[in-house]
Amino acid sequence: MKFEEFNISDSLKQAIREKGFEKPSDVQEQVIPVALQGKDLVGKSKTGTGKTAAFAIPLIENIRRGQTFSALIITPTRELAIQVKTEIASLSNSSGIKVVAVFGGESVQKQIGLLKIKPEIIVGTPGRLLDFIGRGNLDFSKAGFLILDEADRMFDMGFRDDIEKIIGSFPRERQTMLFSATMPETIKDMVDRHLKEDKIFFNLSEDDSPVDEVEQYYIMLNRNQKIDALQDIINWDNNVKTLVFCRTKRTVDWLEKQLSRRRINAIALHGDKRQSARNAILNKFKNMQGGVLIATDIVARGIHVDNIGHVVNFDALDETETYLHRIGRTARQGKRGIAVSLCSNVMELENLERIGRQINAEISELR
């Protein structure tokens, strides 16, 4: 199937072509036709599957230009809000539909100013959304579309009550789409209470999982050998980007300095940096030829950067979900990628082997 076959406007098809999209991902092929019909839906879907376009394309097609605050997409983080807003804007340029992102860490007055352009689509994080609803800057009483992106992540971050309040500001008659990498009972309960009885469920996490496209390796070494090993991985192909994950902000900053001393073009990203600085860092990384981004798990979900060929777990980890979200930054949209975990003791290796068994993946030793 091709995007040309969807029942959407010619201008939207043109925007899709300009982005270089030809064939929809499995998620897009299943979700878009149902969403275009206005049905409520629940998608169990990991990142890296084209999920954003899956809900953005029907949204742009079904929204009427000039209907202010027609749609809301709730995201767990500022980074994901910016990414979703950018994706929607790139698809809606020719339609005249406006989209604005609101989130903490940036000027309230600046974002209030953006709302004065009367955008049809709002993307935002729960805290800032509730703030603006309380101030009267946002009014969703006549909105027709609500999308919860990475719902499990928002629940994990303690936003459950905030989300309930935001949903309460919407009319009962609306289209609701919920996407989540996992489906715990708390999410199922919300789905039962807030989505229509004829909602459609999609389990998109297995067949379209990016893990299958990632070659996964580990290296056993002493801690003082890690930087040499990382440099070797970076040098495998200087034309692809490398994303390096560390456990702490302190290690991120330290590693950036160590790589810079070796004349490796590396930049650091973590939660201590101001939002404007984080945005600038991500944009710089996106525009680099190759390059290295060193980060904490703040960017492990929802950040879409093209041409990340290598993901390196500089610090070992023991959570399966975190591992999946880290390596999911590579091998996106059908491309292949490589993930390497640096293990410095038997316990770290045993944890990695356990993760491999849980996700049914072969993680081979790299010598």
Side-chain angles (χ1 to χ4, degrees), residues 43-46 150 152 179-183 205 301 321 325:
K44 185 180 179 186
S45 174
K46 292 182 171 64
E150 300 198 359
D152 55 342
F179 295 90
S180 186
T182 60
M183 204 60 62
S205 61
R301 290 181 77 146
E321 283 294 316
H325 294 312

Side-chain angles (χ1 to χ4, degrees), residues 4-209:
E4 293 290 332
E5 299 176 50
F6 287 128
N7 186 24
I8 55 178
S9 67
D10 290 339
S11 61
L12 185 49
K13 289 178 181 177
Q14 178 61 29
I16 292 169
R17 284 195 297 269
E18 289 175 357
K19 287 180 67 65
F21 296 164
E22 293 183 5
K23 187 177 183 295
S25 68
D26 289 349
V27 170
Q28 293 161 356
E29 188 170 340
Q30 294 182 61
V31 168
I32 290 174
V34 173
L36 284 170
Q37 295 173 24
K39 291 184 178 294
D40 283 7
L41 62 88
V42 180
K44 185 180 179 186
S45 174
K46 292 182 171 64
T47 58
T49 58
K51 168 170 51 73
T52 302
F55 63 72
I57 289 171
L59 202 57
I60 295 165
E61 180 65 22
N62 289 335
I63 281 178
R64 287 175 55 189
R65 181 178 174 182
Q67 288 186 330
T68 307
F69 306 152
S70 289
L72 172 65
I73 300 106
I74 311 176
T75 68
T77 65
R78 295 169 284 193
E79 287 77 18
L80 183 54
I82 294 168
Q83 178 61 41
V84 170
K85 180 257 181 184
T86 302
E87 179 82 357
I88 294 174
S90 70
L91 289 166
S92 64
N93 275 337
S94 59
S95 69
I97 290 173
K98 301 179 290 295
V99 55
V100 165
V102 296
F103 44 83
E106 281 197 352
S107 165
V108 168
Q109 293 304 316
K110 176 183 176 182
Q111 292 181 359
I112 288 175
L114 292 174
L115 296 178
K116 290 179 180 178
I117 68 172
K118 298 183 178 181
E120 290 86 353
I121 302 174
I122 300 294
V123 187
T125 52
R128 184 55 61 93
L129 287 169
L130 268 186
D131 182 18
F132 282 167
I133 291 171
R135 293 168 181 258
N137 300 113
L138 283 174
D139 178 7
F140 295 111
S141 61
K142 297 181 180 179
F145 307 90
L146 173 63
I147 296 155
L148 287 81
D149 195 10
E150 300 198 359
D152 55 342
R153 176 67 167 164
M154 290 193 280
F155 274 37
D156 289 344
M157 296 171 70
F159 289 135
R160 181 178 180 179
D161 291 343
D162 290 352
I163 294 169
E164 292 280 359
K165 291 175 184 176
I166 294 169
I167 293 175
S169 71
F170 271 71
R172 190 67 186 168
E173 190 57 36
R174 64 175 186 269
Q175 180 183 21
T176 306
M177 293 181 264
L178 181 147
F179 295 90
S180 186
T182 60
M183 204 60 62
E185 289 302 318
T186 50
I187 300 289
K188 293 177 182 177
D189 175 66
M190 173 172 281
V191 166
D192 289 340
R193 287 185 294 108
H194 293 299
L195 276 72
K196 298 185 181 77
E197 289 187 6
D198 64 348
K199 55 190 169 287
I200 307 296
F201 284 86
F202 295 97
N203 187 349
L204 307 161
S205 61
E206 296 176 1
D207 295 338
D208 203 30
S209 171

